[in-house]
């Protein structure tokens, strides 16, 4: 009986010790000029900002200084990545305002101040590590090569060059032998010393430039904001549905009950003609109540959405819209997307079509559904009067809240006389 063993994949070849040491040395020897430039710019910028803050001019200057700190931090991230110690990308807070308030938003970002702190603290660290790197390389090169170039020096200068000091401790040992021994010591310890120096910069970068905690905080804030927007949109939808039910179908059903009671009395009195008129009015009230209920049901997921998917539901929504509507999609009917994505896309389409029917004055509308790269893109466009605005508490603002509940975005283009186009993008991967 024979057994076979699968070939083990070869372990990835790590960089040679010499190449790694040279990369780390290059990093250390170039760190001081960058640290000096960063320290000078940041100290100057922050000092001027503090002096000018009473004149307001210090606020944009401070924001610009933090931007420069971000540039130096990005350069440091790239340098750390080259030597095999990536610290991650930045996670800035997004400024939600423009002008002076926008500058203040940037100044309230802890990630930007952490980068500024790195630019200041890196200066003393770089002075130490740069000095150590220079000493170790000089000791190794001079000690290991002194036996080559010392005999070439003019007569009488042999004792004035090389690594001095040891000849006083070991007067009987030739100077060249002492230099060679010291050079061997420096060369033997060069690798761990270079790694130790770069470890200091790596620790500093991970402490002040690493964005893992900042990114997690940003994600938590984004999810909290999205959940609040979704809850707000749901509450508004329920209030609007309650108001519309009270003002529309409920009143018509009450009128229907009164008309049927009147018809019953007319029939009891053998007043058939009057009863016929009342029954006709009751039937009209029934038709109108049914139409209103159908319009209101656009805010409630229909059975076709749960049973047959988003495409079939959009076909039904387009068919019931009072404005002629065409559906364009590359998604086959029956293909299912995540339920939350389908619900959000359907409600956005229905709300957008309702706005077209009520306010656009359009003669036609087009609904386009595309799924590409893990993103659902739904577009509702019309040829109406345009000029739509996003106002708090109105339909278009509700679309944004609805999409934000599933991490989606809404873009509205509505030039005067050019129609309106609502585009929503929802991640579905």
């Amino acid at each position: 009986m024979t057994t076979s063993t699968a070939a083990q994949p070869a372990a990835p070849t790590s960089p040679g010790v010499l190449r790694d040491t040279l990369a780390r040395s290059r990093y250390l020897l170039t760190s001081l000029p960058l640290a000096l430039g960063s320290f000078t710019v940041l100290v100057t910028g922050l000092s001027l900002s503090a002096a000018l803050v009473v004149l307001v001019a210090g606020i944009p200057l401070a924001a610009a200084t933090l931007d420069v700190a971000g540039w130096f931090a990005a350069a440091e991230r790239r340098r750390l990545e080259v030597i095999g110690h990536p610290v991650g990308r930045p996670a800035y807070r997004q400024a939600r305002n423009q002008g002076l308030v926008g500058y203040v938003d940037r100044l309230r970002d802890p990630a930007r101040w952490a980068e500024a702190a790195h630019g200041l603290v890196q200066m003393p660290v770089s002075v130490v590590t740069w000095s150590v790197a220079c000493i170790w390389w000089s000791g190794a090169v001079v000690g290991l090569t002194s036996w080559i170039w010392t005999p070439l020096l003019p007569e009488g200068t042999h004792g004035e060059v090389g690594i001095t000091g040891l000849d006083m401790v070991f007067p009987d040992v030739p100077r060249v032998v002492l230099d060679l021994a010291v050079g061997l010591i420096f060369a033997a310890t060069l690798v761990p010393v270079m790694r130790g120096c770069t470890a200091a910069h790596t620790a500093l970068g991970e402490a002040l430039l690493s964005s893992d905690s900042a990114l997690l905080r940003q994600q938590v804030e984004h999810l909290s904001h999205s959940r609040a927007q979704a809850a707000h949109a749901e509450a508004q939808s329920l209030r609007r549905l309650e108001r519309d039910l009270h003002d529309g179908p409920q009143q018509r059903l009450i009128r229907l009950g009164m008309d049927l009671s009147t018809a019953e009395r007319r029939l009891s009195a053998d007043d058939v003609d009057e009863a016929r008129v009342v029954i006709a009015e009751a039937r009209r009230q029934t038709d109108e109540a049914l139409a209103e209920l159908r319009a209101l049901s656009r805010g409630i997921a229909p059975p076709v959405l749960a049973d047959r998917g988003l495409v079939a539901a959009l076909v039904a929504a387009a068919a019931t819209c009072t404005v002629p509507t065409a559906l364009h999609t590359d998604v086959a009917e029956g293909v299912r997307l995540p339920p939350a994505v389908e619900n959000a896309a359907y409600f956005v389409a229905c709300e957008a079509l309702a706005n077209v029917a009520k306010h656009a004055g359009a003669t036609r509308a087009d609904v386009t559904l595309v799924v590409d790269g893990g993103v659902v893109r739904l577009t509702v466009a019309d040829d109406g009067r345009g000029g739509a605005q996003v106002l708090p508490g109105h339909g278009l603002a509700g679309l944004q809240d609805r999409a934000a509940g599933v991490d989606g975005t809404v873009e509205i283009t509505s030039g005067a006389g050019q129609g309106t186009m609502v585009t929503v993008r929802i991640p579905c991967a």
Side-chain angles (χ1 to χ4, degrees), residues 92-98 101-103 105-106 112:
Y92 302 122
R93 287 182 177 177
Q94 296 296 326
R96 301 180 181 178
N97 299 283
Q98 301 293 330
V101 179
Y103 292 130
D105 286 344
R106 286 156 64 186
R112 298 180 185 273

Side-chain angles (χ1 to χ4, degrees), residues 270-340:
D270 293 332
D271 192 351
V272 178
D273 292 335
E274 287 294 330
R276 184 179 293 111
V277 173
V278 174
I279 291 175
E281 177 64 20
R283 186 177 62 184
R284 187 182 67 82
Q285 294 289 340
T286 302
D287 293 338
E288 292 181 358
L290 182 59
E292 290 183 351
L293 286 174
R294 286 174 176 171
L296 292 175
S297 66
R298 292 190 183 125
I300 303 174
V304 65
L305 179 62
D307 297 338
R308 298 173 54 192
L310 178 60
V311 175
L314 290 178
V315 170
T320 58
C321 183
T322 57
V323 175
T325 303
L327 175 64
H328 314 277
T329 181
D330 60 357
V331 181
E333 187 171 343
V335 174
R336 303 307 303 266
L337 301 174

Side-chain angles (χ1 to χ4, degrees), residues 401-416:
D401 291 340
R402 176 80 70 175
V406 287
D407 292 335
T409 59
V410 175
E411 179 182 352
I412 300 172
T413 304
S414 185

Side-chain angles (χ1 to χ4, degrees), residues 25-265:
S25 302
R26 183 171 59 250
Y27 169 87
L28 293 172
L29 294 176
T30 57
S31 63
L32 184 58
L34 288 175
L36 181 61
S38 173
F39 184 86
T40 303
V41 172
L42 293 180
V43 169
T44 303
L46 294 177
S47 300
L48 287 176
S49 302
L52 296 175
V53 69
V54 295
L55 302 177
V56 183
I59 295 178
L61 179 59
T65 304
L66 293 186
D67 290 340
V68 175
W71 183 88
F72 280 107
E76 181 65 12
R77 288 188 181 94
R78 290 192 296 269
R79 282 161 35 83
L80 288 174
E81 185 175 0
V82 169
I83 62 173
H85 295 284
V87 295
R89 60 184 180 85
Y92 302 122
R93 287 182 177 177
Q94 296 296 326
R96 301 180 181 178
N97 299 283
Q98 301 293 330
L100 186 62
V101 179
Y103 292 130
V104 174
D105 286 344
R106 286 156 64 186
L107 293 178
R108 295 172 60 186
D109 189 351
R112 298 180 185 273
W113 284 106
E115 291 177 338
H118 179 274
L120 297 174
V121 176
Q122 191 183 23
M123 178 64 181
V125 175
S126 296
V127 169
V128 174
T129 58
W130 182 87
S131 301
V132 171
C134 289
I135 292 172
W136 246 256
W137 271 106
S138 299
V141 172
V142 172
L144 294 177
T145 61
S146 62
W147 61 276
I148 298 175
W149 48 264
T150 298
L152 303 178
L153 295 175
E155 191 69 26
T157 61
H158 292 182
E160 298 176 1
V161 296
I163 302 175
T164 60
L166 290 178
D167 52 345
M168 300 178 61
V169 181
F170 304 99
D172 297 330
V173 181
R175 181 64 176 272
V176 174
V177 176
L178 289 176
D179 289 346
L180 183 60
V182 172
L184 288 173
I185 294 174
F186 275 110
T189 57
L190 185 62
V191 173
V193 169
M194 295 300 102
R195 290 181 177 177
C197 290
T198 54
H201 288 272
T202 300
L204 182 63
E206 290 178 348
L208 296 176
L209 300 182
S210 179
S211 59
D212 291 342
S213 59
L215 182 60
L216 180 61
R217 182 184 65 249
Q218 186 182 55
Q219 291 175 342
V220 170
E221 291 178 352
H222 175 70
L223 290 175
S224 299
H225 181 66
S226 298
R227 185 176 63 180
Q229 285 183 299
H232 178 68
E234 194 68 24
Q236 280 192 323
S237 298
L238 290 175
R239 286 196 295 269
R240 184 171 62 249
L241 179 61
E242 180 182 7
R243 182 181 64 251
D244 292 342
L245 284 173
H246 179 272
D247 295 341
Q250 181 176 336
Q251 300 300 322
R252 295 192 182 279
L253 291 175
I254 293 174
R255 171 70 182 276
L256 177 61
M258 297 173 60
D259 288 345
L260 291 177
S261 298
T262 301
E264 184 180 14
R265 289 196 300 272

Side-chain angles (χ1 to χ4, degrees), residues 110 122 156 275 282 323 325 342 351 358 365 380 421:
Q122 191 183 23
V323 175
T325 303
E342 289 189 337
E351 184 67 29
K358 293 178 182 178
V380 179
M421 182 170 66

